[in-house]
């Protein structure tokens, strides 16, 4: 994928996908603790990404990716997790956050792009990359995925991250300026 149109065409392959299982991938910190649960008021922060699996075993992975810029999102439809997601795996299908989205059909997808400049000059070259994704389901609920992490202990999210944040609530996404609420 070299263009936004190609990225969005690939992302659109998720329309009609129905999630049966959800698996997270994280670094192995050698302490047995699942760090993605550290900020439940915001969502789940994953070092590597998430695999969504349908009833037929079809797999779609969302991870941070350097295709357009060092830290953006990548979407791999019909790609086994072993091909794109390293680390420890956690089956989180039964986590309560996922309950409203299981066995629900993805009705629409949207990508939200940000940019990085190669200098501070007003005429600096900008590199655009997929920062956020919104998946909207047949029950009118949405999940937001973002290449984001907290900036120090500020409580403010910073994009261009090697974490994938999953937000399960519109109000939280709006508060953190994700997706349609992003300030560019």
């Amino acid at each position: 994928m070299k263009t936004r149109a190609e990225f969005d065409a690939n992302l659109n392959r998720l329309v009609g996908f129905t999630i049966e299982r959800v698996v997270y991938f994280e670094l192995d910190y050698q302490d047995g603790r699942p760090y993605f649960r550290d900020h439940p008021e915001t969502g789940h922060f994953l070092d590597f990404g998430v695999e969504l699996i349908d009833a037929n075993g079809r797999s779609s992975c969302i991870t941070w990716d350097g295709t357009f810029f060092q830290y953006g999102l990548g979407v791999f439809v019909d790609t086994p997790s072993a091909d794109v997601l390293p680390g420890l795996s956690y089956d989180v299908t039964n986590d309560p956050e996922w309950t409203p989205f299981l066995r629900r059909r993805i009705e629409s997808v949207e990508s939200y792009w940000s940019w990085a400049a190669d200098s501070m000059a007003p005429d600096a070259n900008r590199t655009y990359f997929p920062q956020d994704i919104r998946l909207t389901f047949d029950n009118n609920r949405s999940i937001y995925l973002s290449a984001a992490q907290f900036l120090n202990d500020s409580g403010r999210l910073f994009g261009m991250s090697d974490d994938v944040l999953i937000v399960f609530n519109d109000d939280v996404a709006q508060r953190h300026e994700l997706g349609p609420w992003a300030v560019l």
Side-chain angles (χ1 to χ4, degrees):
M1 270 177 287
K2 299 207 184 306
T3 68
R4 182 174 183 166
E6 290 172 328
F7 179 90
D8 285 342
N10 184 54
L11 179 63
N12 276 314
R13 293 174 59 203
L14 288 175
V15 172
F17 194 89
T18 301
I19 300 172
E20 281 290 322
R21 285 186 48 230
V22 181
V23 180
Y24 288 170
F25 290 82
E26 278 199 313
L27 283 174
D28 185 355
Y29 290 103
Q30 305 295 314
D31 63 5
R33 191 163 91 69
Y35 284 85
F36 64 85
R37 297 188 195 282
D38 284 357
H39 301 282
E41 69 287 350
T42 302
H44 294 161
F45 290 86
L46 311 172
D47 289 326
F48 292 117
V50 60
E51 178 182 29
L52 308 174
I53 304 163
D54 75 4
N56 298 318
R58 181 177 168 219
S59 176
S60 295
C61 302
I62 302 172
T63 184
W64 65 274
D65 180 63
T67 299
F68 295 93
F69 180 70
Q70 186 174 0
Y71 302 114
L73 291 175
V75 178
F76 301 87
V77 180
D78 295 326
T79 303
S81 61
D83 293 350
V84 293
L85 291 170
L88 290 178
S89 63
Y90 297 93
D91 188 322
V92 295
T93 305
N94 294 320
D95 277 27
E97 294 88 350
W98 281 100
T99 301
F101 307 101
L102 294 176
R103 292 172 280 296
R104 304 306 305 220
R105 180 179 171 352
I106 297 174
E107 292 288 320
S108 67
V109 295
E110 294 172 84
S111 67
Y112 300 91
W113 292 57
S114 189
W115 55 270
D118 63 0
S119 75
M120 297 299 283
D123 62 344
N125 289 324
R126 292 182 176 187
T127 300
Y128 290 86
F129 61 93
Q131 176 64 52
D132 302 324
I133 293 172
R134 175 168 57 182
L135 306 177
T136 302
F137 293 79
D138 61 3
N139 60 356
N140 263 351
R141 301 267 320 253
S142 295
I143 291 175
Y144 300 83
L145 298 105
S146 181
Q149 63 190 34
F150 281 119
L151 183 60
N152 304 319
D153 292 326
S154 69
R156 180 148 175 84
L157 288 177
F158 179 73
M160 299 189 301
S161 172
D162 60 359
D163 278 3
V164 174
L165 166 61
I166 302 175
V167 173
F168 302 94
N169 181 293
D170 288 339
D171 293 336
V172 174
Q174 185 173 11
R175 182 173 64 248
H176 288 290
E177 300 172 346
L178 301 178
W181 300 284
V183 179
L184 297 178

